[in-house]
Coordinates of all heavy atoms in Angstrom, one line a residue:
M1 N -14.8 -4.7 18.0 CA -15.8 -5.1 17.1 C -15.6 -4.6 15.7 O -15.9 -5.3 14.7 CB -17.2 -4.6 17.6 CG -17.7 -5.2 18.8 SD -18.4 -6.8 18.8 CE -19.6 -6.7 17.5
G2 N -15.0 -3.4 15.5 CA -14.8 -2.8 14.2 C -13.8 -3.5 13.4 O -13.7 -3.3 12.2
D3 N -12.9 -4.4 14.0 CA -11.9 -5.1 13.2 C -12.2 -6.6 13.0 O -11.3 -7.3 12.6 CB -10.6 -5.0 13.9 CG -10.0 -3.6 13.8 OD1 -10.4 -2.9 12.8 OD2 -9.1 -3.2 14.6
E4 N -13.5 -6.9 13.1 CA -13.8 -8.3 12.8 C -13.7 -8.6 11.3 O -14.0 -7.7 10.5 CB -15.2 -8.7 13.3 CG -16.3 -8.0 12.6 CD -17.7 -8.2 13.2 OE1 -17.8 -8.0 14.4 OE2 -18.6 -8.6 12.4
K5 N -13.2 -9.7 10.9 CA -13.0 -10.1 9.5 C -14.4 -10.5 8.9 O -15.2 -11.1 9.6 CB -12.0 -11.2 9.3 CG -10.6 -10.9 9.8 CD -9.8 -10.2 8.8 CE -8.4 -10.1 9.2 NZ -7.6 -9.3 8.4
F6 N -14.5 -10.1 7.6 CA -15.7 -10.6 6.9 C -15.4 -10.7 5.4 O -14.4 -10.1 5.0 CB -16.9 -9.7 7.2 CG -17.0 -8.5 6.4 CD1 -17.9 -8.3 5.3 CD2 -16.2 -7.4 6.7 CE1 -18.0 -7.2 4.6 CE2 -16.3 -6.2 6.0 CZ -17.1 -6.1 4.9
L7 N -16.2 -11.4 4.7 CA -16.0 -11.6 3.3 C -16.7 -10.5 2.5 O -17.9 -10.3 2.6 CB -16.5 -13.0 2.8 CG -16.2 -13.4 1.4 CD1 -14.7 -13.5 1.2 CD2 -16.9 -14.7 1.1
L8 N -15.9 -9.7 1.7 CA -16.4 -8.7 0.9 C -16.1 -9.1 -0.6 O -15.0 -9.4 -0.9 CB -15.7 -7.3 1.2 CG -16.1 -6.2 0.3 CD1 -17.5 -5.8 0.5 CD2 -15.2 -5.0 0.6
T9 N -17.1 -9.1 -1.4 CA -16.9 -9.4 -2.8 C -17.0 -8.1 -3.6 O -18.0 -7.4 -3.6 CB -18.0 -10.4 -3.3 OG1 -17.9 -11.6 -2.5 CG2 -17.7 -10.8 -4.8
L10 N -15.9 -7.7 -4.3 CA -15.9 -6.5 -5.1 C -15.9 -7.0 -6.6 O -15.3 -8.0 -6.9 CB -14.6 -5.8 -4.8 CG -14.4 -5.2 -3.4 CD1 -13.1 -4.5 -3.3 CD2 -15.5 -4.2 -3.1
T11 N -16.5 -6.1 -7.4 CA -16.6 -6.4 -8.8 C -15.7 -5.4 -9.5 O -15.8 -4.2 -9.4 CB -18.0 -6.3 -9.4 OG1 -18.8 -7.2 -8.6 CG2 -18.1 -6.6 -10.8
I12 N -14.7 -5.9 -10.2 CA -13.7 -5.1 -11.0 C -13.8 -5.5 -12.4 O -13.6 -6.6 -12.8 CB -12.3 -5.3 -10.5 CG1 -12.1 -5.0 -9.0 CG2 -11.3 -4.4 -11.3 CD1 -12.3 -3.6 -8.6
D13 N -14.2 -4.5 -13.2 CA -14.4 -4.8 -14.7 C -15.2 -6.0 -15.0 O -14.9 -6.8 -15.8 CB -13.0 -4.9 -15.3 CG -13.1 -4.6 -16.8 OD1 -13.9 -3.8 -17.3 OD2 -12.3 -5.3 -17.6
G14 N -16.3 -6.2 -14.2 CA -17.2 -7.3 -14.5 C -16.9 -8.6 -13.8 O -17.6 -9.5 -13.9
R15 N -15.7 -8.7 -13.2 CA -15.3 -9.9 -12.5 C -15.4 -9.7 -11.0 O -15.1 -8.7 -10.5 CB -13.9 -10.3 -12.9 CG -13.8 -10.7 -14.4 CD -12.5 -11.2 -14.7 NE -12.3 -12.5 -14.0 CZ -11.2 -13.2 -14.2 NH1 -10.2 -12.9 -15.0 NH2 -11.0 -14.4 -13.5
K16 N -15.8 -10.8 -10.3 CA -16.0 -10.7 -8.9 C -14.7 -11.2 -8.2 O -14.1 -12.2 -8.6 CB -17.2 -11.6 -8.4 CG -18.5 -11.0 -9.0 CD -19.7 -11.7 -8.4 CE -21.0 -11.2 -8.9 NZ -21.2 -9.8 -8.7
Y17 N -14.3 -10.5 -7.1 CA -13.1 -10.8 -6.3 C -13.5 -10.8 -4.8 O -13.8 -9.8 -4.2 CB -12.0 -9.8 -6.6 CG -11.5 -9.8 -8.0 CD1 -12.1 -8.9 -8.9 CD2 -10.5 -10.6 -8.4 CE1 -11.7 -8.9 -10.2 CE2 -10.1 -10.6 -9.7 CZ -10.7 -9.8 -10.6 OH -10.2 -9.8 -11.9
P18 N -13.6 -12.0 -4.2 CA -13.8 -12.1 -2.8 C -12.6 -11.8 -2.0 O -11.5 -12.3 -2.3 CB -14.3 -13.6 -2.6 CG -13.6 -14.3 -3.7 CD -13.4 -13.3 -4.9
L19 N -12.8 -11.0 -1.0 CA -11.7 -10.6 -0.1 C -12.1 -10.7 1.3 O -13.2 -10.3 1.7 CB -11.3 -9.1 -0.4 CG -10.9 -8.8 -1.9 CD1 -10.9 -7.3 -2.1 CD2 -9.5 -9.3 -2.1
K20 N -11.2 -11.2 2.1 CA -11.5 -11.2 3.6 C -10.8 -10.0 4.2 O -9.6 -10.0 4.2 CB -11.0 -12.5 4.2 CG -11.5 -12.8 5.6 CD -11.5 -14.2 5.9 CE -12.6 -14.4 6.9 NZ -13.1 -15.7 7.0
I21 N -11.6 -9.1 4.7 CA -11.0 -7.8 5.2 C -11.6 -7.5 6.6 O -12.6 -8.1 7.0 CB -11.3 -6.7 4.3 CG1 -12.8 -6.4 4.2 CG2 -10.7 -6.9 2.9 CD1 -13.2 -5.1 3.6
D22 N -10.9 -6.6 7.3 CA -11.5 -6.0 8.5 C -12.7 -5.1 8.2 O -12.6 -4.4 7.2 CB -10.4 -5.2 9.2 CG -9.3 -6.0 9.8 OD1 -9.5 -7.2 10.0 OD2 -8.2 -5.4 10.1
R23 N -13.7 -5.2 9.0 CA -14.9 -4.4 8.7 C -14.6 -2.9 8.7 O -15.1 -2.2 7.9 CB -16.0 -4.7 9.8 CG -17.3 -4.1 9.4 CD -18.4 -4.7 10.2 NE -18.7 -6.1 9.9 CZ -19.4 -6.5 8.8 NH1 -19.8 -5.7 7.9 NH2 -19.7 -7.8 8.7
S24 N -13.6 -2.5 9.5 CA -13.2 -1.1 9.5 C -12.6 -0.6 8.2 O -12.5 0.6 7.9 CB -12.2 -0.9 10.7 OG -11.0 -1.6 10.5
E25 N -12.2 -1.6 7.3 CA -11.6 -1.2 6.0 C -12.6 -1.2 4.9 O -12.2 -0.9 3.7 CB -10.4 -2.2 5.7 CG -9.3 -2.2 6.7 CD -8.3 -3.3 6.4 OE1 -8.7 -4.4 6.0 OE2 -7.1 -3.0 6.7
E26 N -13.8 -1.6 5.2 CA -14.8 -1.8 4.1 C -14.9 -0.6 3.2 O -14.9 -0.7 2.0 CB -16.1 -2.2 4.7 CG -17.2 -2.4 3.6 CD -18.5 -2.8 4.2 OE1 -18.7 -2.9 5.4 OE2 -19.4 -3.1 3.4
E27 N -15.1 0.6 3.8 CA -15.3 1.8 3.0 C -14.1 2.0 2.0 O -14.3 2.4 0.9 CB -15.5 3.0 3.9 CG -15.8 4.3 3.1 CD -15.9 5.5 4.0 OE1 -15.7 5.4 5.3 OE2 -16.3 6.5 3.5
A28 N -12.9 1.8 2.5 CA -11.7 2.1 1.7 C -11.7 1.1 0.5 O -11.4 1.5 -0.6 CB -10.4 1.9 2.6
F29 N -12.0 -0.2 0.8 CA -12.0 -1.2 -0.3 C -13.1 -0.9 -1.3 O -12.8 -1.0 -2.5 CB -12.2 -2.6 0.3 CG -10.9 -3.2 0.7 CD1 -10.4 -3.0 2.0 CD2 -10.2 -4.0 -0.2 CE1 -9.2 -3.6 2.4 CE2 -9.0 -4.6 0.2 CZ -8.5 -4.4 1.5
R30 N -14.3 -0.5 -0.9 CA -15.4 -0.2 -1.8 C -15.0 1.0 -2.7 O -15.2 1.1 -3.9 CB -16.7 0.0 -1.1 CG -17.3 -1.2 -0.5 CD -18.7 -1.0 0.0 NE -19.2 -2.2 0.7 CZ -19.7 -3.3 0.1 NH1 -19.8 -3.3 -1.2 NH2 -20.1 -4.3 0.8
D31 N -14.4 2.0 -2.0 CA -14.0 3.2 -2.7 C -12.9 2.9 -3.7 O -12.9 3.4 -4.9 CB -13.5 4.3 -1.8 CG -13.2 5.6 -2.5 OD1 -14.2 6.2 -3.0 OD2 -12.1 6.0 -2.5
A32 N -12.0 2.1 -3.4 CA -10.9 1.7 -4.3 C -11.5 1.0 -5.5 O -11.0 1.2 -6.6 CB -9.9 0.8 -3.5
A33 N -12.4 0.1 -5.3 CA -13.0 -0.6 -6.4 C -13.7 0.3 -7.4 O -13.6 0.2 -8.6 CB -14.0 -1.7 -5.9
K34 N -14.4 1.3 -6.8 CA -15.1 2.3 -7.6 C -14.1 3.1 -8.4 O -14.3 3.3 -9.6 CB -15.9 3.3 -6.7 CG -16.7 4.3 -7.4 CD -17.5 5.1 -6.4 CE -18.3 6.1 -7.0 NZ -19.1 6.9 -6.0
Q35 N -13.0 3.5 -7.8 CA -11.9 4.3 -8.5 C -11.3 3.4 -9.6 O -11.1 3.9 -10.7 CB -10.9 4.8 -7.5 CG -11.3 5.9 -6.6 CD -10.2 6.3 -5.7 OE1 -9.0 6.4 -6.1 NE2 -10.5 6.6 -4.4
I36 N -11.0 2.2 -9.3 CA -10.4 1.3 -10.3 C -11.4 1.1 -11.5 O -10.9 1.2 -12.7 CB -10.1 -0.1 -9.7 CG1 -8.9 0.1 -8.7 CG2 -9.8 -1.1 -10.8 CD1 -8.7 -1.1 -7.8
N37 N -12.6 0.9 -11.3 CA -13.6 0.7 -12.3 C -13.7 2.0 -13.2 O -13.8 1.9 -14.4 CB -15.0 0.3 -11.8 CG -15.0 -1.2 -11.5 OD1 -14.5 -2.0 -12.2 ND2 -15.6 -1.5 -10.3
N38 N -13.7 3.2 -12.5 CA -13.8 4.4 -13.3 C -12.5 4.6 -14.2 O -12.6 5.1 -15.3 CB -13.9 5.6 -12.3 CG -15.3 5.7 -11.7 OD1 -16.3 5.2 -12.3 ND2 -15.4 6.3 -10.6
K39 N -11.4 4.3 -13.6 CA -10.1 4.4 -14.4 C -10.1 3.4 -15.6 O -9.7 3.8 -16.7 CB -8.9 4.2 -13.6 CG -8.5 5.3 -12.7 CD -7.3 5.1 -11.9 CE -7.1 6.2 -10.9 NZ -5.9 6.0 -10.1
I40 N -10.6 2.2 -15.4 CA -10.6 1.2 -16.5 C -11.6 1.8 -17.6 O -11.3 1.7 -18.7 CB -11.1 -0.1 -15.9 CG1 -10.0 -0.8 -15.1 CG2 -11.5 -1.1 -17.1 CD1 -10.4 -2.0 -14.3
K41 N -12.7 2.3 -17.1 CA -13.7 2.8 -18.1 C -13.1 4.0 -18.9 O -13.2 4.0 -20.1 CB -14.9 3.3 -17.4 CG -16.0 3.8 -18.3 CD -17.2 4.4 -17.5 CE -17.9 3.4 -16.7 NZ -19.1 4.0 -16.0
R42 N -12.3 4.9 -18.3 CA -11.7 6.0 -19.0 C -10.6 5.5 -20.0 O -10.6 6.0 -21.1 CB -11.1 7.0 -18.0 CG -12.1 7.8 -17.3 CD -11.5 9.0 -16.6 NE -10.4 8.7 -15.6 CZ -10.6 8.6 -14.3 NH1 -11.8 8.7 -13.8 NH2 -9.6 8.3 -13.6
Y43 N -9.8 4.5 -19.6 CA -8.8 3.9 -20.5 C -9.5 3.2 -21.7 O -9.1 3.4 -22.8 CB -7.9 2.9 -19.8 CG -6.8 3.6 -19.0 CD1 -6.6 3.5 -17.7 CD2 -5.8 4.4 -19.7 CE1 -5.5 4.1 -17.0 CE2 -4.8 5.0 -19.1 CZ -4.6 4.8 -17.7 OH -3.6 5.5 -17.1
R44 N -10.6 2.5 -21.4 CA -11.3 1.8 -22.4 C -11.8 2.8 -23.5 O -11.7 2.6 -24.7 CB -12.4 1.0 -21.8 CG -12.9 -0.1 -22.8 CD -13.9 -1.1 -22.1 NE -13.1 -2.3 -21.8 CZ -13.0 -2.8 -20.6 NH1 -13.6 -2.3 -19.6 NH2 -12.3 -3.9 -20.5
L45 N -12.4 3.9 -23.0 CA -12.9 4.9 -23.9 C -11.8 5.6 -24.7 O -11.9 5.9 -25.9 CB -13.7 6.0 -23.1 CG -15.1 5.6 -22.6 CD1 -15.6 6.6 -21.6 CD2 -16.0 5.3 -23.7
A46 N -10.7 5.9 -24.0 CA -9.6 6.6 -24.6 C -8.9 5.7 -25.7 O -8.3 6.3 -26.7 CB -8.5 7.0 -23.6
F47 N -9.0 4.4 -25.6 CA -8.3 3.5 -26.5 C -9.3 2.7 -27.4 O -9.0 1.6 -27.7 CB -7.3 2.6 -25.8 CG -6.2 3.3 -25.2 CD1 -6.2 3.8 -23.9 CD2 -5.1 3.6 -26.0 CE1 -5.1 4.5 -23.4 CE2 -4.0 4.2 -25.5 CZ -4.0 4.7 -24.2
G48 N -10.4 3.3 -27.7 CA -11.3 2.7 -28.7 C -12.4 1.8 -28.2 O -13.0 1.1 -29.0
G49 N -12.6 1.8 -26.9 CA -13.7 1.0 -26.4 C -13.6 -0.4 -26.7 O -12.5 -1.0 -26.7
N50 N -14.8 -1.1 -27.0 CA -14.8 -2.5 -27.2 C -14.1 -2.9 -28.6 O -13.9 -4.0 -28.8 CB -16.2 -3.0 -27.2 CG -16.8 -3.0 -25.8 OD1 -16.1 -3.0 -24.8 ND2 -18.1 -2.8 -25.7
N51 N -13.9 -1.9 -29.4 CA -13.3 -2.1 -30.7 C -11.7 -2.1 -30.6 O -11.1 -2.3 -31.6 CB -13.7 -1.1 -31.8 CG -15.2 -1.1 -32.0 OD1 -15.8 -2.2 -31.9 ND2 -15.8 0.0 -32.2
S52 N -11.2 -1.9 -29.4 CA -9.8 -1.8 -29.2 C -9.1 -3.1 -29.4 O -9.8 -4.2 -29.1 CB -9.5 -1.2 -27.8 OG -8.1 -1.2 -27.6
E53 N -7.9 -3.1 -29.7 CA -7.1 -4.4 -29.8 C -6.7 -4.8 -28.4 O -6.2 -5.9 -28.2 CB -5.9 -4.2 -30.7 CG -6.3 -4.1 -32.1 CD -5.0 -3.9 -33.0 OE1 -3.9 -4.3 -32.6 OE2 -5.2 -3.5 -34.2
L54 N -6.8 -3.9 -27.4 CA -6.4 -4.2 -26.0 C -7.5 -5.0 -25.4 O -8.7 -4.9 -25.7 CB -6.2 -2.9 -25.3 CG -5.2 -1.9 -25.8 CD1 -5.2 -0.6 -25.1 CD2 -3.8 -2.6 -25.7
N55 N -7.1 -5.8 -24.4 CA -8.1 -6.7 -23.7 C -8.3 -6.2 -22.3 O -7.6 -5.2 -21.8 CB -7.8 -8.1 -23.8 CG -6.4 -8.4 -23.1 OD1 -6.1 -7.8 -22.1 ND2 -5.7 -9.4 -23.6
A56 N -9.2 -6.8 -21.5 CA -9.4 -6.4 -20.1 C -8.2 -6.4 -19.3 O -8.0 -5.5 -18.5 CB -10.5 -7.3 -19.5
Q57 N -7.3 -7.4 -19.5 CA -6.1 -7.4 -18.7 C -5.2 -6.2 -19.0 O -4.6 -5.6 -18.1 CB -5.3 -8.7 -19.0 CG -4.0 -8.8 -18.2 CD -3.3 -10.1 -18.5 OE1 -3.9 -11.0 -19.1 NE2 -2.1 -10.2 -18.0
D58 N -5.2 -5.7 -20.2 CA -4.4 -4.5 -20.6 C -4.9 -3.3 -19.8 O -4.1 -2.5 -19.3 CB -4.5 -4.3 -22.1 CG -3.8 -5.4 -22.9 OD1 -2.8 -5.9 -22.4 OD2 -4.3 -5.7 -24.0
F59 N -6.2 -3.2 -19.8 CA -6.8 -2.0 -19.1 C -6.6 -2.1 -17.6 O -6.3 -1.0 -17.0 CB -8.3 -1.9 -19.4 CG -8.6 -1.6 -20.9 CD1 -9.3 -2.4 -21.7 CD2 -8.1 -0.4 -21.5 CE1 -9.6 -2.2 -23.0 CE2 -8.3 -0.1 -22.8 CZ -9.1 -1.0 -23.6
I60 N -6.6 -3.3 -17.1 CA -6.4 -3.4 -15.6 C -4.9 -3.1 -15.3 O -4.6 -2.4 -14.4 CB -6.8 -4.8 -15.2 CG1 -8.3 -5.0 -15.2 CG2 -6.2 -5.1 -13.8 CD1 -8.8 -6.4 -15.0
A61 N -4.0 -3.6 -16.2 CA -2.6 -3.3 -16.0 C -2.3 -1.8 -16.1 O -1.6 -1.2 -15.3 CB -1.7 -4.0 -17.1
M62 N -3.0 -1.1 -17.1 CA -2.8 0.4 -17.2 C -3.3 1.1 -16.0 O -2.6 2.0 -15.5 CB -3.5 0.9 -18.5 CG -2.9 0.3 -19.8 SD -4.1 0.5 -21.1 CE -3.9 2.2 -21.6
T63 N -4.4 0.6 -15.4 CA -4.9 1.2 -14.2 C -4.0 1.0 -13.0 O -3.8 1.8 -12.2 CB -6.3 0.6 -13.9 OG1 -7.2 0.9 -15.0 CG2 -6.9 1.1 -12.6
A64 N -3.4 -0.2 -12.9 CA -2.5 -0.5 -11.9 C -1.2 0.4 -11.9 O -0.8 0.9 -10.9 CB -2.0 -2.0 -11.9
I65 N -0.7 0.6 -13.2 CA 0.4 1.4 -13.3 C 0.1 2.9 -12.9 O 0.8 3.5 -12.2 CB 0.9 1.4 -14.8 CG1 1.5 0.0 -15.1 CG2 2.0 2.5 -15.1 CD1 1.7 -0.3 -16.6
H66 N -1.0 3.3 -13.4 CA -1.5 4.7 -13.0 C -1.6 4.9 -11.5 O -1.2 5.9 -10.9 CB -2.9 5.0 -13.7 CG -3.4 6.3 -13.6 ND1 -4.0 7.0 -14.5 CD2 -3.3 7.2 -12.5 CE1 -4.4 8.2 -14.1 NE2 -3.9 8.4 -12.9
T67 N -2.2 3.9 -10.9 CA -2.4 3.9 -9.4 C -1.0 3.9 -8.7 O -0.8 4.6 -7.7 CB -3.3 2.8 -9.0 OG1 -4.6 2.9 -9.6 CG2 -3.5 2.8 -7.5
G68 N -0.1 3.1 -9.2 CA 1.2 3.0 -8.6 C 1.9 4.3 -8.7 O 2.6 4.8 -7.7
V69 N 1.8 5.0 -9.8 CA 2.4 6.3 -10.0 C 1.8 7.4 -9.1 O 2.5 8.1 -8.4 CB 2.4 6.8 -11.5 CG1 2.8 8.2 -11.6 CG2 3.2 5.9 -12.4
E70 N 0.5 7.3 -9.0 CA -0.2 8.2 -8.0 C 0.3 8.0 -6.6 O 0.6 9.0 -5.9 CB -1.7 8.0 -8.1 CG -2.4 8.6 -9.3 CD -3.9 8.3 -9.3 OE1 -4.3 7.4 -8.7 OE2 -4.6 9.1 -10.1
N71 N 0.4 6.8 -6.2 CA 0.9 6.4 -4.8 C 2.3 6.9 -4.6 O 2.7 7.3 -3.5 CB 0.7 4.9 -4.6 CG -0.7 4.5 -4.3 OD1 -1.5 5.3 -4.0 ND2 -1.0 3.3 -4.5
F72 N 3.2 6.8 -5.7 CA 4.5 7.2 -5.6 C 4.6 8.7 -5.2 O 5.3 9.1 -4.3 CB 5.3 6.9 -6.9 CG 6.6 7.5 -7.0 CD1 7.7 6.9 -6.4 CD2 6.9 8.7 -7.6 CE1 9.0 7.4 -6.4 CE2 8.1 9.3 -7.7 CZ 9.2 8.6 -7.1
F73 N 3.8 9.5 -6.0 CA 3.8 10.9 -5.8 C 3.2 11.3 -4.4 O 3.7 12.2 -3.8 CB 3.2 11.7 -6.9 CG 4.1 11.7 -8.2 CD1 3.7 11.1 -9.3 CD2 5.3 12.4 -8.1 CE1 4.5 11.1 -10.4 CE2 6.1 12.5 -9.2 CZ 5.7 11.8 -10.4
L74 N 2.2 10.6 -4.0 CA 1.5 10.9 -2.7 C 2.5 10.6 -1.6 O 2.6 11.3 -0.6 CB 0.3 10.0 -2.5 CG -1.0 10.6 -3.3 CD1 -2.1 9.6 -3.1 CD2 -1.4 11.9 -2.7
S75 N 3.3 9.5 -1.7 CA 4.2 9.2 -0.7 C 5.3 10.2 -0.6 O 5.8 10.5 0.5 CB 4.9 7.8 -0.9 OG 5.7 7.8 -2.0
K76 N 5.7 10.8 -1.7 CA 6.7 11.9 -1.7 C 6.1 13.1 -1.0 O 6.8 13.9 -0.3 CB 7.2 12.2 -3.1 CG 7.9 11.1 -3.8 CD 9.2 10.9 -3.1 CE 10.0 9.8 -3.8 NZ 11.2 9.4 -3.1
K77 N 4.8 13.4 -1.3 CA 4.2 14.6 -0.7 C 4.1 14.5 0.8 O 4.2 15.5 1.5 CB 2.8 14.7 -1.3 CG 2.6 15.6 -2.4 CD 1.1 15.7 -2.7 CE 0.8 16.9 -3.4 NZ -0.6 16.9 -3.9
T78 N 3.8 13.3 1.3 CA 3.6 13.1 2.8 C 4.9 12.8 3.5 O 4.8 12.4 4.7 CB 2.5 12.1 3.0 OG1 2.9 10.9 2.4 CG2 1.2 12.5 2.4
D79 N 6.0 12.9 2.9 CA 7.3 12.6 3.6 C 7.6 13.8 4.6 O 7.9 14.9 4.2 CB 8.4 12.5 2.6 CG 9.7 12.2 3.3 OD1 9.7 11.8 4.5 OD2 10.8 12.3 2.6
T80 N 7.4 13.5 5.8 CA 7.6 14.6 6.8 C 9.0 14.6 7.4 O 9.3 15.4 8.3 CB 6.5 14.4 8.0 OG1 6.7 13.1 8.6 CG2 5.1 14.5 7.5
K81 N 9.8 13.7 7.0 CA 11.2 13.6 7.6 C 11.9 14.9 7.5 O 12.5 15.3 8.5 CB 12.0 12.5 7.0 CG 13.3 12.3 7.6 CD 14.0 11.0 7.3 CE 15.3 10.8 7.9 NZ 15.8 11.7 8.9
P82 N 12.0 15.6 6.4 CA 12.7 16.9 6.3 C 12.2 17.9 7.3 O 12.9 18.6 8.0 CB 12.5 17.4 4.9 CG 12.2 16.2 4.1 CD 11.4 15.3 5.0
I83 N 10.9 17.9 7.5 CA 10.3 18.9 8.5 C 10.6 18.4 9.9 O 11.0 19.3 10.7 CB 8.7 18.9 8.3 CG1 8.4 19.5 6.9 CG2 8.1 19.7 9.4 CD1 7.0 19.3 6.5
E84 N 10.6 17.1 10.2 CA 10.9 16.6 11.5 C 12.4 16.9 11.8 O 12.7 17.3 13.0 CB 10.7 15.1 11.6 CG 9.2 14.8 11.6 CD 9.0 13.3 11.4 OE1 10.0 12.5 11.6 OE2 7.9 12.9 11.2
D85 N 13.3 16.8 10.8 CA 14.7 17.1 11.0 C 14.9 18.5 11.3 O 15.7 18.9 12.2 CB 15.5 16.7 9.8 CG 15.6 15.2 9.6 OD1 15.3 14.4 10.5 OD2 15.9 14.7 8.5
K86 N 14.2 19.4 10.6 CA 14.3 20.9 10.9 C 13.8 21.2 12.3 O 14.5 22.0 13.0 CB 13.6 21.6 9.8 CG 13.7 23.1 9.9 CD 15.1 23.5 9.5 CE 15.2 25.0 9.5 NZ 16.6 25.5 9.2
I87 N 12.8 20.6 12.7 CA 12.2 20.9 14.0 C 13.2 20.5 15.1 O 13.5 21.2 16.1 CB 10.8 20.2 14.2 CG1 9.8 20.9 13.4 CG2 10.4 20.2 15.7 CD1 8.5 20.2 13.3
R88 N 13.8 19.3 14.9 CA 14.8 18.8 15.9 C 16.0 19.8 16.0 O 16.5 20.1 17.0 CB 15.3 17.4 15.5 CG 14.4 16.3 15.9 CD 15.0 14.9 15.7 NE 14.0 13.9 15.6 CZ 13.4 13.5 14.5 NH1 13.7 13.9 13.4 NH2 12.4 12.6 14.6
L89 N 16.4 20.2 14.8 CA 17.6 21.2 14.8 C 17.2 22.5 15.5 O 18.0 23.0 16.3 CB 17.9 21.5 13.3 CG 19.0 22.6 13.1 CD1 20.4 22.0 13.6 CD2 19.1 23.0 11.7
L90 N 16.0 23.0 15.3 CA 15.6 24.2 16.0 C 15.4 24.0 17.5 O 15.8 24.9 18.2 CB 14.2 24.7 15.4 CG 14.3 25.2 13.9 CD1 12.9 25.5 13.4 CD2 15.1 26.5 13.9
I91 N 15.0 22.9 17.9 CA 14.9 22.6 19.3 C 16.3 22.5 19.9 O 16.5 23.1 21.0 CB 14.1 21.2 19.5 CG1 12.6 21.4 19.2 CG2 14.3 20.7 21.0 CD1 11.8 20.1 19.2
R92 N 17.2 21.9 19.3 CA 18.6 21.9 19.8 C 19.1 23.3 19.9 O 19.8 23.6 20.9 CB 19.5 21.0 18.9 CG 19.6 19.6 19.4 CD 20.6 18.8 18.6 NE 19.9 18.0 17.6 CZ 20.1 17.9 16.3 NH1 21.1 18.6 15.8 NH2 19.4 17.2 15.5
E93 N 18.9 24.1 18.9 CA 19.4 25.5 18.9 C 18.8 26.3 20.0 O 19.5 27.0 20.7 CB 19.2 26.2 17.6 CG 20.1 25.7 16.4 CD 19.7 26.3 15.1 OE1 18.9 27.2 15.0 OE2 20.4 25.9 14.1
L94 N 17.5 26.1 20.2 CA 16.8 26.7 21.4 C 17.4 26.3 22.7 O 17.6 27.1 23.6 CB 15.3 26.5 21.3 CG 14.5 27.4 20.4 CD1 13.1 26.8 20.3 CD2 14.5 28.8 20.9
D95 N 17.5 25.0 22.8 CA 18.1 24.4 24.1 C 19.5 25.0 24.4 O 19.8 25.4 25.5 CB 18.2 22.9 24.0 CG 16.9 22.2 24.2 OD1 15.9 22.9 24.6 OD2 16.8 21.0 23.9
E96 N 20.3 25.1 23.3 CA 21.7 25.7 23.5 C 21.6 27.1 23.9 O 22.3 27.6 24.8 CB 22.5 25.5 22.2 CG 22.9 24.0 22.0 CD 23.6 23.8 20.7 OE1 24.1 24.8 20.1 OE2 23.6 22.7 20.2
Y97 N 20.7 27.8 23.3 CA 20.5 29.3 23.5 C 20.0 29.5 25.0 O 20.5 30.4 25.7 CB 19.6 29.9 22.6 CG 19.3 31.4 22.8 CD1 20.3 32.3 22.4 CD2 18.2 31.8 23.5 CE1 20.0 33.7 22.7 CE2 17.9 33.1 23.8 CZ 18.9 34.0 23.4 OH 18.7 35.4 23.6
L98 N 19.1 28.7 25.4 CA 18.5 28.8 26.8 C 19.5 28.4 27.9 O 19.4 28.9 29.0 CB 17.2 28.0 26.9 CG 16.1 28.5 26.0 CD1 14.9 27.6 26.1 CD2 15.6 29.9 26.5
K99 N 20.5 27.6 27.5 CA 21.5 27.2 28.5 C 22.5 28.3 28.8 O 23.1 28.3 29.8 CB 22.2 25.9 28.0 CG 21.4 24.7 28.1 CD 22.2 23.5 27.6 CE 21.4 22.3 27.5 NZ 22.1 21.1 26.9
K100 N 22.6 29.3 27.9 CA 23.5 30.4 28.1 C 23.1 31.4 29.1 O 22.0 31.6 29.5 CB 23.8 31.1 26.8 CG 24.5 30.2 25.8 CD 24.7 30.9 24.5 CE 25.4 30.0 23.5 NZ 25.7 30.7 22.2

C-alpha cells in the first residue's frame, strides 16, 4: 500500500510542478522542494533580490549546481568500499591464522 503512485504538485520558486510518485517518497519530495526554495531564496538575497540582473532560471540553475556538489561530497562520504575491502582482508588473515 505504501508504494501506490499518486500525483503530488510541488511549488518551486512560485511555479507548480506535478509529479507522479510513490506515496512512500512523499516526505522526501516535500522536503526537497522546501530545501530548493530556501536555497533559491538565499541566492536571490545574496545577488540583489528582485533588482538583480539574474532571472528565476539563473537562481534555479545555481541551486541545481549547489545541490549537485553537495551530492558529490555525500557520495564520497558514504563510500564504504575501502572499509569493506579492509574487512575482507582481515577475515582472510584470520582464516589463514586459524588454519595453522
